[in-house]
Amino acid sequence: MCFFASFAGTKKIHERTLTSFKARGEFVFIGEPTTHGGQLIDIIKKPLVLINNTRRYFSKQHQQQMRWDHANIDVHDFNQQDAEQLLCGFNTPKIITEGFLSPIIDQGLMTPIRSVLSETSMIKPLFLYINRGLYWCDITIFNYVIPKFWRVSLKLSGEKPL
C-alpha cells in the first residue's frame, strides 16, 4: 500500500508507481478528485471559508485551528488527460469516475461544519442521512447524466508490465 497524496503532478506519481511496484504489481488510486469536481467543491466551500476566517480573526483563534480552506486538501487533482498519462504503459488500465452531489455537498459544506461541531451534536446523524440520500441520487441519476470527468471521485487502476 502506498500513498501518493504528497506528490504534485502526474509525472512524479507515474515515476514512483513504476519504480515502487514489482512486475505485474497491481495498483489502485481511490478517491482522487477530478479537476472539475475539486473546483465545484471549492466554490461551494468559499462562503464557509470566509465566515470561518472572519470568525477566527475576531476571536483571535487564527493560530489555534486548522483553516477550512486548507482542510481535506489534495495536492493534485486529475483531468482526463492526466489520468490517461498516469496509466500510460500499464496493463489493464481502468478509469472510473463517480459521485456528484454527495461528495460536493459533503466536502464543500458538511465536512467544514462537522469539524467545528461537538462529538455529541445532533446534526451529525442528520448529515449522515442527507449524505445517504445524495449518494442514492448519484448512483441512480447523476452517474448516468453527468459527463465522466465532471463527476467528483476518480478511481484509477492498472498493472505494471513485466
Side-chain angles (χ1 to χ4, degrees), residues 14-145:
H14 187 266
E15 290 170 1
R16 185 57 65 129
T17 304
L18 278 173
T19 59
S20 299
F21 291 98
K22 295 179 183 177
R24 297 199 123 144
E26 295 179 350
F27 70 90
V28 178
F29 295 128
I30 296 176
E32 298 300 327
T34 62
T35 300
H36 296 299
Q39 290 169 342
L40 289 169
I41 289 167
D42 287 343
I43 289 168
I44 296 291
K45 195 170 34 172
K46 284 282 187 223
L48 291 176
V49 169
L50 179 64
I51 291 167
N52 185 47
N53 288 341
T54 303
R55 178 189 64 83
R56 288 175 61 247
Y57 177 78
F58 288 110
S59 65
K60 307 277 192 250
Q61 292 180 339
H62 47 277
Q63 296 175 346
Q64 296 174 358
Q65 299 174 356
M66 181 183 282
R67 293 172 39 189
W68 284 348
D69 51 340
H70 298 295
N72 307 306
I73 192 169
D74 282 286
V75 173
H76 48 80
D77 52 34
F78 293 92
N79 60 31
Q80 186 169 358
Q81 182 181 2
D82 294 336
E84 289 169 356
Q85 280 180 334
L86 186 60
L87 294 174
C88 183
F90 288 97
N91 297 332
T92 62
K94 291 182 186 169
I95 301 173
I96 298 170
T97 57
E98 62 186 12
F100 187 72
L101 276 183
S102 176
I104 288 172
I105 300 301
D106 184 53
Q107 294 175 35
L109 292 175
M110 292 192 274
T111 297
I113 293 170
R114 270 194 311 261
S115 71
V116 296
L117 295 175
S118 72
E119 289 298 317
T120 59
S121 172
M122 298 298 280
I123 295 175
K124 287 186 176 186
L126 175 65
F127 282 180
L128 179 64
Y129 291 116
I130 291 170
N131 208 19
R132 285 181 184 166
L134 295 172
Y135 176 75
W136 180 86
C137 291
D138 283 343
I139 62 172
T140 57
I141 301 168
F142 291 110
N143 280 349
Y144 298 103
V145 299

